PDB file of all heavy atoms in Angstrom:
ATOM      1  N   PHE A 441      77.480 -14.795  50.378  1.00  0.00           N
ATOM      2  CA  PHE A 441      78.308 -15.372  49.291  1.00  0.00           C
ATOM      3  C   PHE A 441      79.677 -14.621  49.235  1.00  0.00           C
ATOM      4  O   PHE A 441      80.721 -15.269  49.111  1.00  0.00           O
ATOM      5  CB  PHE A 441      77.635 -15.175  47.968  1.00  0.00           C
ATOM      6  CG  PHE A 441      76.460 -16.075  47.708  1.00  0.00           C
ATOM      7  CD1 PHE A 441      75.631 -15.939  46.590  1.00  0.00           C
ATOM      8  CD2 PHE A 441      76.214 -17.129  48.561  1.00  0.00           C
ATOM      9  CE1 PHE A 441      74.603 -16.830  46.396  1.00  0.00           C
ATOM     10  CE2 PHE A 441      75.151 -18.004  48.370  1.00  0.00           C
ATOM     11  CZ  PHE A 441      74.327 -17.832  47.224  1.00  0.00           C
ATOM     12  N   GLU A 442      79.651 -13.366  49.411  1.00  0.00           N
ATOM     13  CA  GLU A 442      80.877 -12.542  49.312  1.00  0.00           C
ATOM     14  C   GLU A 442      81.866 -12.942  50.414  1.00  0.00           C
ATOM     15  O   GLU A 442      83.060 -13.098  50.161  1.00  0.00           O
ATOM     16  CB  GLU A 442      80.558 -11.050  49.457  1.00  0.00           C
ATOM     17  CG  GLU A 442      81.737 -10.113  49.482  1.00  0.00           C
ATOM     18  CD  GLU A 442      82.317  -9.903  48.088  1.00  0.00           C
ATOM     19  OE1 GLU A 442      81.586 -10.106  47.083  1.00  0.00           O
ATOM     20  OE2 GLU A 442      83.507  -9.554  47.991  1.00  0.00           O
ATOM     21  N   GLN A 443      81.353 -13.115  51.628  1.00  0.00           N
ATOM     22  CA  GLN A 443      82.216 -13.499  52.763  1.00  0.00           C
ATOM     23  C   GLN A 443      82.862 -14.850  52.472  1.00  0.00           C
ATOM     24  O   GLN A 443      84.067 -14.977  52.742  1.00  0.00           O
ATOM     25  CB  GLN A 443      81.368 -13.500  54.025  1.00  0.00           C
ATOM     26  CG  GLN A 443      80.941 -12.143  54.539  1.00  0.00           C
ATOM     27  CD  GLN A 443      80.021 -12.230  55.697  1.00  0.00           C
ATOM     28  OE1 GLN A 443      79.557 -13.314  56.112  1.00  0.00           O
ATOM     29  NE2 GLN A 443      79.734 -11.108  56.322  1.00  0.00           N
ATOM     30  N   ASN A 444      82.090 -15.804  52.031  1.00  0.00           N
ATOM     31  CA  ASN A 444      82.671 -17.117  51.787  1.00  0.00           C
ATOM     32  C   ASN A 444      83.647 -17.125  50.579  1.00  0.00           C
ATOM     33  O   ASN A 444      84.629 -17.863  50.578  1.00  0.00           O
ATOM     34  CB  ASN A 444      81.548 -18.136  51.582  1.00  0.00           C
ATOM     35  CG  ASN A 444      80.856 -18.498  52.850  1.00  0.00           C
ATOM     36  OD1 ASN A 444      81.332 -19.379  53.574  1.00  0.00           O
ATOM     37  ND2 ASN A 444      79.723 -17.877  53.139  1.00  0.00           N
ATOM     38  N   LEU A 445      83.339 -16.312  49.583  1.00  0.00           N
ATOM     39  CA  LEU A 445      84.295 -16.253  48.424  1.00  0.00           C
ATOM     40  C   LEU A 445      85.581 -15.553  48.801  1.00  0.00           C
ATOM     41  O   LEU A 445      86.675 -15.930  48.309  1.00  0.00           O
ATOM     42  CB  LEU A 445      83.585 -15.536  47.281  1.00  0.00           C
ATOM     43  CG  LEU A 445      82.515 -16.338  46.519  1.00  0.00           C
ATOM     44  CD1 LEU A 445      81.721 -15.467  45.612  1.00  0.00           C
ATOM     45  CD2 LEU A 445      83.134 -17.512  45.738  1.00  0.00           C
ATOM     46  N   GLN A 446      85.501 -14.533  49.685  1.00  0.00           N
ATOM     47  CA  GLN A 446      86.722 -13.912  50.143  1.00  0.00           C
ATOM     48  C   GLN A 446      87.615 -14.868  50.878  1.00  0.00           C
ATOM     49  O   GLN A 446      88.825 -14.934  50.730  1.00  0.00           O
ATOM     50  CB  GLN A 446      86.345 -12.732  51.005  1.00  0.00           C
ATOM     51  CG  GLN A 446      85.827 -11.518  50.241  1.00  0.00           C
ATOM     52  CD  GLN A 446      85.436 -10.413  51.154  1.00  0.00           C
ATOM     53  OE1 GLN A 446      85.471 -10.518  52.404  1.00  0.00           O
ATOM     54  NE2 GLN A 446      85.027  -9.264  50.625  1.00  0.00           N
ATOM     55  N   VAL A 447      86.953 -15.737  51.678  1.00  0.00           N
ATOM     56  CA  VAL A 447      87.695 -16.754  52.412  1.00  0.00           C
ATOM     57  C   VAL A 447      88.293 -17.777  51.483  1.00  0.00           C
ATOM     58  O   VAL A 447      89.449 -18.143  51.574  1.00  0.00           O
ATOM     59  CB  VAL A 447      86.761 -17.424  53.459  1.00  0.00           C
ATOM     60  CG1 VAL A 447      87.477 -18.618  54.069  1.00  0.00           C
ATOM     61  CG2 VAL A 447      86.375 -16.431  54.566  1.00  0.00           C
ATOM     62  N   ALA A 448      87.509 -18.208  50.532  1.00  0.00           N
ATOM     63  CA  ALA A 448      88.015 -19.241  49.552  1.00  0.00           C
ATOM     64  C   ALA A 448      89.162 -18.714  48.702  1.00  0.00           C
ATOM     65  O   ALA A 448      90.068 -19.452  48.359  1.00  0.00           O
ATOM     66  CB  ALA A 448      86.880 -19.660  48.646  1.00  0.00           C
ATOM     67  N   ALA A 449      89.087 -17.375  48.412  1.00  0.00           N
ATOM     68  CA  ALA A 449      90.129 -16.783  47.555  1.00  0.00           C
ATOM     69  C   ALA A 449      91.481 -16.800  48.320  1.00  0.00           C
ATOM     70  O   ALA A 449      92.536 -16.774  47.663  1.00  0.00           O
ATOM     71  CB  ALA A 449      89.773 -15.354  47.182  1.00  0.00           C
ATOM     72  N   GLN A 450      91.460 -16.826  49.621  1.00  0.00           N
ATOM     73  CA  GLN A 450      92.747 -16.885  50.363  1.00  0.00           C
ATOM     74  C   GLN A 450      93.434 -18.232  50.218  1.00  0.00           C
ATOM     75  O   GLN A 450      94.630 -18.326  50.460  1.00  0.00           O
ATOM     76  CB  GLN A 450      92.452 -16.678  51.829  1.00  0.00           C
ATOM     77  CG  GLN A 450      91.858 -15.307  52.166  1.00  0.00           C
ATOM     78  CD  GLN A 450      91.508 -15.104  53.614  1.00  0.00           C
ATOM     79  OE1 GLN A 450      91.721 -15.969  54.446  1.00  0.00           O
ATOM     80  NE2 GLN A 450      90.879 -13.988  53.902  1.00  0.00           N
ATOM     81  N   ILE A 451      92.726 -19.236  49.822  1.00  0.00           N
ATOM     82  CA  ILE A 451      93.315 -20.598  49.680  1.00  0.00           C
ATOM     83  C   ILE A 451      94.006 -20.698  48.312  1.00  0.00           C
ATOM     84  O   ILE A 451      95.235 -20.765  48.244  1.00  0.00           O
ATOM     85  CB  ILE A 451      92.265 -21.705  49.861  1.00  0.00           C
ATOM     86  CG1 ILE A 451      91.658 -21.595  51.312  1.00  0.00           C
ATOM     87  CG2 ILE A 451      92.829 -23.074  49.650  1.00  0.00           C
ATOM     88  CD1 ILE A 451      90.580 -22.581  51.609  1.00  0.00           C
ATOM     89  N   ASN A 452      93.232 -20.704  47.253  1.00  0.00           N
ATOM     90  CA  ASN A 452      93.806 -20.647  45.953  1.00  0.00           C
ATOM     91  C   ASN A 452      92.715 -20.376  44.887  1.00  0.00           C
ATOM     92  O   ASN A 452      91.530 -20.378  45.263  1.00  0.00           O
ATOM     93  CB  ASN A 452      94.549 -21.962  45.552  1.00  0.00           C
ATOM     94  CG  ASN A 452      93.645 -23.187  45.659  1.00  0.00           C
ATOM     95  OD1 ASN A 452      92.509 -23.208  45.142  1.00  0.00           O
ATOM     96  ND2 ASN A 452      94.068 -24.215  46.366  1.00  0.00           N
ATOM     97  N   ARG A 453      93.123 -20.092  43.669  1.00  0.00           N
ATOM     98  CA  ARG A 453      92.179 -19.638  42.664  1.00  0.00           C
ATOM     99  C   ARG A 453      91.186 -20.753  42.321  1.00  0.00           C
ATOM    100  O   ARG A 453      89.975 -20.512  42.148  1.00  0.00           O
ATOM    101  CB  ARG A 453      92.949 -19.237  41.400  1.00  0.00           C
ATOM    102  CG  ARG A 453      92.013 -18.852  40.269  1.00  0.00           C
ATOM    103  CD  ARG A 453      92.754 -18.236  39.100  1.00  0.00           C
ATOM    104  NE  ARG A 453      91.871 -17.920  38.062  1.00  0.00           N
ATOM    105  CZ  ARG A 453      92.155 -17.040  37.073  1.00  0.00           C
ATOM    106  NH1 ARG A 453      93.304 -16.419  37.133  1.00  0.00           N
ATOM    107  NH2 ARG A 453      91.319 -16.822  36.109  1.00  0.00           N
ATOM    108  N   ASP A 454      91.663 -21.975  42.183  1.00  0.00           N
ATOM    109  CA  ASP A 454      90.777 -23.090  41.749  1.00  0.00           C
ATOM    110  C   ASP A 454      89.687 -23.301  42.790  1.00  0.00           C
ATOM    111  O   ASP A 454      88.540 -23.525  42.426  1.00  0.00           O
ATOM    112  CB  ASP A 454      91.622 -24.391  41.609  1.00  0.00           C
ATOM    113  CG  ASP A 454      92.531 -24.293  40.389  1.00  0.00           C
ATOM    114  OD1 ASP A 454      92.300 -23.428  39.516  1.00  0.00           O
ATOM    115  OD2 ASP A 454      93.522 -25.109  40.387  1.00  0.00           O
ATOM    116  N   PHE A 455      90.118 -23.249  44.066  1.00  0.00           N
ATOM    117  CA  PHE A 455      89.050 -23.464  45.091  1.00  0.00           C
ATOM    118  C   PHE A 455      88.083 -22.293  45.149  1.00  0.00           C
ATOM    119  O   PHE A 455      86.883 -22.480  45.379  1.00  0.00           O
ATOM    120  CB  PHE A 455      89.757 -23.611  46.459  1.00  0.00           C
ATOM    121  CG  PHE A 455      88.817 -23.934  47.602  1.00  0.00           C
ATOM    122  CD1 PHE A 455      88.103 -25.132  47.599  1.00  0.00           C
ATOM    123  CD2 PHE A 455      88.613 -23.023  48.599  1.00  0.00           C
ATOM    124  CE1 PHE A 455      87.209 -25.403  48.611  1.00  0.00           C
ATOM    125  CE2 PHE A 455      87.733 -23.312  49.672  1.00  0.00           C
ATOM    126  CZ  PHE A 455      87.063 -24.522  49.627  1.00  0.00           C
ATOM    127  N   LYS A 456      88.555 -21.056  44.906  1.00  0.00           N
ATOM    128  CA  LYS A 456      87.679 -19.934  44.874  1.00  0.00           C
ATOM    129  C   LYS A 456      86.599 -20.119  43.788  1.00  0.00           C
ATOM    130  O   LYS A 456      85.360 -19.889  44.006  1.00  0.00           O
ATOM    131  CB  LYS A 456      88.486 -18.657  44.574  1.00  0.00           C
ATOM    132  CG  LYS A 456      87.683 -17.451  44.330  1.00  0.00           C
ATOM    133  CD  LYS A 456      88.503 -16.335  43.747  1.00  0.00           C
ATOM    134  CE  LYS A 456      88.984 -16.661  42.312  1.00  0.00           C
ATOM    135  NZ  LYS A 456      89.755 -15.625  41.723  1.00  0.00           N
ATOM    136  N   GLU A 457      87.025 -20.558  42.577  1.00  0.00           N
ATOM    137  CA  GLU A 457      86.036 -20.768  41.499  1.00  0.00           C
ATOM    138  C   GLU A 457      85.104 -21.923  41.786  1.00  0.00           C
ATOM    139  O   GLU A 457      83.944 -21.889  41.423  1.00  0.00           O
ATOM    140  CB  GLU A 457      86.790 -21.022  40.210  1.00  0.00           C
ATOM    141  CG  GLU A 457      87.583 -19.787  39.709  1.00  0.00           C
ATOM    142  CD  GLU A 457      88.145 -19.927  38.345  1.00  0.00           C
ATOM    143  OE1 GLU A 457      88.099 -21.075  37.831  1.00  0.00           O
ATOM    144  OE2 GLU A 457      88.714 -18.961  37.801  1.00  0.00           O
ATOM    145  N   GLN A 458      85.649 -22.944  42.513  1.00  0.00           N
ATOM    146  CA  GLN A 458      84.748 -24.036  42.904  1.00  0.00           C
ATOM    147  C   GLN A 458      83.667 -23.579  43.825  1.00  0.00           C
ATOM    148  O   GLN A 458      82.489 -23.953  43.706  1.00  0.00           O
ATOM    149  CB  GLN A 458      85.588 -25.146  43.563  1.00  0.00           C
ATOM    150  CG  GLN A 458      84.794 -26.393  43.976  1.00  0.00           C
ATOM    151  CD  GLN A 458      85.647 -27.394  44.703  1.00  0.00           C
ATOM    152  OE1 GLN A 458      86.853 -27.228  44.853  1.00  0.00           O
ATOM    153  NE2 GLN A 458      85.027 -28.498  45.106  1.00  0.00           N
ATOM    154  N   VAL A 459      84.042 -22.753  44.823  1.00  0.00           N
ATOM    155  CA  VAL A 459      83.025 -22.216  45.743  1.00  0.00           C
ATOM    156  C   VAL A 459      82.064 -21.294  45.041  1.00  0.00           C
ATOM    157  O   VAL A 459      80.880 -21.340  45.317  1.00  0.00           O
ATOM    158  CB  VAL A 459      83.742 -21.438  46.892  1.00  0.00           C
ATOM    159  CG1 VAL A 459      82.751 -20.706  47.784  1.00  0.00           C
ATOM    160  CG2 VAL A 459      84.586 -22.397  47.736  1.00  0.00           C
TER     161      VAL A 459
END
Side-chain angles (χ1 to χ4, degrees):
F441 286 171
E442 178 77 22
Q443 290 173 351
N444 284 277
L445 285 169
Q446 288 177 354
V447 170
Q450 297 175 6
I451 298 177
N452 56 50
R453 175 172 180 161
D454 292 340
F455 185 64
K456 172 194 68 178
E457 294 187 351
Q458 182 183 358
V459 171

